[in-house]
Every structure is written in structure tokens, then in C-alpha cells.
Amino acid sequence: MQDIAIILVRTWHPGNIGSAARAMKNMGLTKLRLVAPHFGIDDQAQSMAAGAIDILEQVEVFDTLQEAIADRQTVIGTSARIRGQRVPQLNPKQAANTALEQAPAAIVFGGERSGLTNEDLALCHFQVAIDGNPDYPVLNLAQAVQILCYELFNAQQTSPDFDRQEDPYPLVKELEVFYQRLEGALAETDYMKGHERDEILKQRLRQYFRRSRPTRRELSLLQGVVSALTEK
Ligand code: SAH
């Protein structure tokens, strides 16, 4: 459970940060991260956290989601309504199992007003929606955190020894090193010409690798391919 981070992106109500901390502690999670919160931790947050003040004290704050997930292997985004077809969908139980199997992982939640943007979701390997009334499936942020944390707790109770993966996925920051090498190599060719279109190409390549999810061994292979081609 120490390998699972709960990330809240651009929250508005400090009370929800406190409630999320409490929901986490109740279920045995400790790692809370905030990305660009509109308002930081205040009295309201502390009051809602109640006995989970320690989690607020250890909170880590980041400017961007990309930085908050750098040390993660698996990133799961939450949204009341599934958006975009490209990211595999999980239910909360499957999300909990996946996070524990493919840890270090993060479960990412959006702010109260606009949730996660498409750019945020593009950084996720999976999307999870909590089923509810189709006329109003949007839960309060901290209550959505509670449900996912409860599923993590249950998954951990049922199979406490998640196998260490034989060939795990690389961390987000390790893939970033690869993308930059690949882009550097492409910049030397005519393929990238310094146009605006290059940014779109770069995003598409990243999207492709995020979806195909090379393992660590496959990533070394790809690194080797880039090295061999650049030497030539
Ligand atoms: N107005 C926003 C909702 C934000 S609710 C929107 O329409 O997208 C705040 C956050 O709680 C969401 O970004 C999501 O992370 C989580 N959440 C709320 N309801 C959810 C549900 N049914 N399934 C999964 N996550 C949910």
C-alpha cells in the first residue's frame, strides 16, 4: 500500500483534501500528492482530516501532473464519464488489483470544477469510473477517493502478496529519457523539421508508447535500436 500514491489535481476546496487524507488513512494508505491546488492546506483541511493530520503533514505538492507521476510505473485516471476510447477501462476493483500488481502506481483524481482534462487523461495507462446513477454519476471528490481506497484495502486483504513482476514496466521518468533520446535522434533527420506539427508528432509517439507499454527489457531493446541508428 506504501507504493500507491493518491494524486489530487487542481482541487478547489481544502476540506476535500482533508477528507481525502482521512479516507486514505482509514484504508491504510499514506502517500498523498497535490498538483497545483487552487487553495492549499488550511484549517478546514485539517479539521476534515481529523485523525489523519499526519498524512497532510507529509503531503507532496507538484506544479504538473507529469512531475507528480515521474516515479510511478502505472497511472490510473478517474472520471465519472469515460472519455476517449484509447485508454483501457477498468472498474474500481480491477483498478485496485492493477495498481497493486503494477506498483509503484498512482490513482489520479480531478478537481471539483472540471475534473481531469483530456491532457491529464492522456498521461494515464488506465481509466476508471465508479458506476452510479446515469443521470448524476459525479461523486464528491473525497468520496470517490474513499471508494478507490476501500477497493485497494480489500484487494490487499484478499491477496496480500502481490507477486513482484518478472519484467516490470519502466517508471514514467525512465520512459521520458527514452522519448527525449528518440526525439533528439529524429531532430537530426528530416523527419522532424522544426515545424509546429512536430509537437503533435511527439505527442502521438508518446501516446503510442504509453498505450503499447514496453516492459523494462523491451525499453532497453528500444534504447539499443536508437543507439545503433544514431551511431550510423
Ligand atoms: N465536474 C467534474 C467532476 C469533478 S468530481 C466533471 O464533470 O468531470 C471530482 C473528481 O472526483 C473527478 O475528477 C474524479 O476524479 C472523481 N469522481 C467523481 N465521480 C466519479 C465517478 N463516478 N467515477 C470515478 N471518479 C469520479
Coordinates of all heavy atoms in Angstrom, one line a residue, residues 18 50 64 93 96 165 206:
G18 N -8.6 17.4 3.0 CA -8.6 16.8 4.4 C -9.4 15.5 4.4 O -9.0 14.5 4.9
A50 N -9.2 15.2 10.5 CA -9.3 14.6 11.9 C -8.1 13.9 12.2 O -7.0 14.5 12.3 CB -10.6 13.8 11.9
T64 N 3.0 20.2 -11.9 CA 2.4 19.5 -13.0 C 2.1 18.0 -12.7 O 2.8 17.4 -11.9 CB 3.2 19.5 -14.3 OG1 4.4 18.8 -14.0 CG2 3.6 20.9 -14.7
K93 N -12.6 -2.3 -8.7 CA -12.0 -3.5 -8.2 C -10.8 -3.8 -9.1 O -9.7 -4.1 -8.5 CB -13.0 -4.6 -8.2 CG -12.7 -5.7 -7.2 CD -13.7 -6.8 -7.2 CE -15.0 -6.5 -6.5 NZ -14.9 -6.3 -5.0
A96 N -7.9 -1.4 -8.5 CA -7.2 -1.7 -7.2 C -6.2 -2.8 -7.4 O -5.0 -2.7 -7.1 CB -8.1 -2.0 -6.1
Q165 N 6.7 -8.4 -10.2 CA 6.6 -8.7 -11.6 C 8.0 -9.1 -12.2 O 9.0 -8.6 -11.8 CB 6.2 -7.4 -12.4 CG 5.0 -6.8 -11.9 CD 5.0 -5.3 -12.1 OE1 4.7 -4.9 -13.1 NE2 5.3 -4.6 -11.1
R206 N 4.5 9.6 -28.0 CA 4.4 9.3 -26.6 C 3.1 8.5 -26.3 O 3.1 7.5 -25.6 CB 4.3 10.6 -25.8 CG 5.7 11.2 -25.6 CD 5.6 12.6 -25.3 NE 7.0 13.2 -25.4 CZ 7.7 13.6 -24.3 NH1 7.2 13.5 -23.1 NH2 8.9 14.0 -24.5

